[in-house]
């Protein structure tokens, strides 16, 4: 016969009894909370269960998460089946193409909201739902700081479509077709048709862009279940792994772990850097990984990145560096395939959220062979060295990033004349001016597009080849800026130059006609102007521009750290 729990027996630090609202009378707080919880239809039996919060990032402004209602149901099913109570709560969502000036500005806002809502609301564990570029870093940053047991449920990549018999998908092909349109190779009618074919389903961009890279990194450090990074968004396996993630989160709610700090460690971060290099992942991932690690007091060193890069070949043949899409990587072995190839270079004892070590995760799986056309063997890599390299020199004393795997080989060692654009507005006004004085051997420099600039470090580092050169067949030139670049882009593009121009870094002092030298082999980026001239320019540098005075913009500009520190806020990074 069912018994009614006594008031005393309901007490504890589980589920809805967690973190009571403070009215100065804990008994009253508990009574009031239960009363309001019951108004949502919860029974005493439900209220006695541990709670798994589900951080829900569906939004009408986020195409990549449009299948999240179905994914949420699967997660809830898993939580319920394992004896806990699923409670979803809405969270800021960052749809990459729907935010101005750039989603990057709002990553920290989302991270703050994630942290505070996990901490403030009564949950014993949390499932983080994310996928689109900035959402996963924001979720992991916030969850790392909140410190409760957390499991990541990913959106998964979209599937590819086709155009004139050719496969295409977001978003390397977006840029490729746009470059062809600018060069006059395809018509306005055709670019309109392509516009409707680039994003064929729900899910994240299906090349090795930022979303795919962060998914691979998240699985590497163990914040997802095995296989989660590559399962297509619309595949039934996506729902099954979402259900399994909910089930695991229910167990974590009872056991109290693992927490993000148990999984994201110095060793697992080093594994993530290895994977980042082997997949030739997005340059943005360096910033995000630095910020996530920074929440736990772990430093990501550019010098260490370079050491790893020189001994880690690019193994994954996906766009923008190679030819495939995420669905090919999934069918060809997924992250497991990459980990297998890198096994002797990894910290194999690192565990994931279900307690499996990397050794266990790469154990033989006869039904899931690794396709060496997609995940290459170490003796026939896509590139013999890692996809990313950090540069330092007189133009970037604090460092800069070059995606060498996506660069034009002959430009990796190059000296030439600088052509400077002082801002994004200046770039837009002059790049297609037929009278612009520019040659294919010049290096284009964009100033004032870094984290503290008005534009908030947009993905503008891959700026276009001037139309008059594009129409002559020029497809790549060296571009240097303090901006970022989409992981789906390609070209010889030097990014994240630190200190940024807005802070008076050497980048702010470059003038058209200066000589600049780039050397990927020496990992150098130098402005070949003598010291006396630099000092004179510095003395006349004014730099000051009006700062935002209110709201989040004001907080952002006061607090954002340089790219080399992950662009986190100074008061959020661990000290
Ligand atoms: Fe969401 Fe590319 S737009 S991942």
């Amino acid at each position: 016969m069912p018994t009614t729990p006594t008031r005393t027996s309901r007490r504890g630090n589980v589920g809805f009894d967690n973190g009571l609202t403070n009215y100065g009378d804990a008994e009253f707080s508990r009574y009031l909370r239960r009363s309001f919880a019951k108004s949502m239809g919860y029974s005493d039996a439900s209220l006695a269960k541990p709670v798994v919060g589900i951080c829900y990032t569906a939004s009408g402004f986020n195409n990549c998460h449009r299948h999240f209602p179905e994914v949420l149901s699967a997660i809830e099913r898993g939580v319920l089946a394992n004896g806990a109570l699923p409670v979803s709560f809405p969270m800021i969502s960052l749809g990459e193409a729907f935010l101005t000036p750039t989603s990057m500005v709002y990553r920290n806002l989302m991270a703050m909201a994630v942290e505070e809502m996990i901490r403030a609301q009564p949950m014993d564990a949390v499932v983080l739902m994310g996928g689109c570029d900035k959402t996963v870093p924001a979720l992991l940053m916030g969850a790392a700081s909140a410190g409760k047991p957390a499991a990541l449920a990913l959106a998964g990549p979209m599937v590819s479509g086709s155009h004139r018999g050719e496969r295409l998908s977001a978003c390397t092909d977006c840029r490729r077709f746009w470059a062809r349109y600018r060069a006059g190779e395809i018509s306005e009618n055709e670019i309109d048709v392509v516009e409707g074919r680039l994003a064929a389903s729900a899910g994240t961009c299906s090349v090795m862009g930022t979303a795919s890279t962060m998914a691979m990194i998240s699985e590497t450090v163990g914040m997802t279940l095995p296989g989660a990074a590559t399962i297509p968004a619309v595949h039934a396996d996506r729902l099954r792994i979402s259900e399994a993630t909910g089930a695991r989160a229910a167990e974590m709610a009872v056991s109290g772990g693992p927490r993000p700090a148990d999984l994201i460690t110095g060793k697992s971060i080093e594994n993530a850097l290895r994977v980042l290099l082997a997949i030739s992942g997005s340059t943005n991932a360096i910033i995000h990984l630095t910020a996530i690690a920074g929440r736990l007091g772990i430093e990501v060193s550019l010098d260490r990145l370079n050491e790893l890069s020189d001994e880690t070949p690019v193994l994954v043949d996906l766009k923008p560096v190679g030819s495939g899409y995420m669905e090919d990587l999934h069918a060809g072995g997924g992250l497991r395939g990459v980990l297998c190839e890198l096994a002797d270079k990894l910290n194999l004892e690192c565990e994931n959220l279900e307690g499996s070590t990397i050794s266990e995760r790469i154990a033989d799986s006869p039904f899931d062979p690794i396709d060496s056309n997609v995940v290459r063997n170490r003796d026939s890599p896509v590139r013999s060295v890692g996809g990313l390299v950090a540069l330092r020199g007189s133009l970037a004393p604090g460092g800069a990033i070059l995606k060498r795997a996506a660069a034009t080989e002959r430009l990796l060692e190059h000296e030439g004349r600088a052509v400077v654009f002082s801002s994004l507005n200046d770039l837009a006004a002059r790049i297609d001016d037929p009278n612009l004085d520019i040659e294919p051997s010049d290096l284009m420099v964009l100033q004032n597009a870094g984290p503290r600039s008005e534009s908030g470090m947009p993905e503008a580092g891959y700026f276009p080849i001037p139309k008059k050169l594009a129409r002559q067949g020029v497809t790549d030139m060296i571009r240097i800026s303090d901006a970022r670049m989409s992981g789906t882009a390609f070209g010889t593009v030097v990014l994240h130059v630190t200190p940024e121009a807005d802070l008076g870094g050497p980048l702010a002092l470059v003038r058209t006609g200066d000589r600049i030298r780039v050397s990927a082999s020496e990992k150098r980026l130098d402005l070949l102007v003598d010291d006396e001239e630099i000092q004179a320019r510095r003395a006349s540098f004014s730099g000051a521009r009006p700062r935002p005075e209110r709201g989040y913009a004001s907080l952002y500009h006061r607090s954002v750290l340089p790219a080399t520190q992950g662009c986190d806020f100074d008061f959020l990074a661990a000290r």
Side-chain angles (χ1 to χ4, degrees), residues 433-500:
D433 182 344
N435 297 318
L436 181 67
D437 176 15
I438 194 162
E439 301 291 330
S441 60
D442 292 338
L443 296 88
M444 294 194 282
V445 175
L446 171 64
Q447 300 166 324
N448 294 305
R452 288 172 62 103
S453 71
E454 227 166 350
S455 49
M457 206 182 190
E459 290 185 338
Y462 168 82
F463 44 94
I465 304 297
K467 216 174 232 175
K468 69 176 184 182
L469 296 183
R471 294 203 160 162
Q472 292 166 23
V474 177
T475 55
D476 193 14
M477 293 171 68
I478 295 184
R479 284 153 275 183
I480 300 171
S481 74
D482 44 12
R484 296 176 301 115
M485 172 173 88
S486 165
T488 62
F490 44 88
T492 313
V493 185
V494 179
L495 304 151
H496 313 174
V497 171
T498 304
E500 64 175 293

Side-chain angles (χ1 to χ4, degrees), residues 62-65 94-97 131-133 158 170-171 203-206 210-212 488:
N62 192 337
N63 58 296
C64 299
H65 296 188
L94 305 177
E96 193 57 24
C132 195
D133 284 18
M158 60 178 80
C171 217
T204 50
C205 290
S206 62
T210 303
S212 302
T488 62

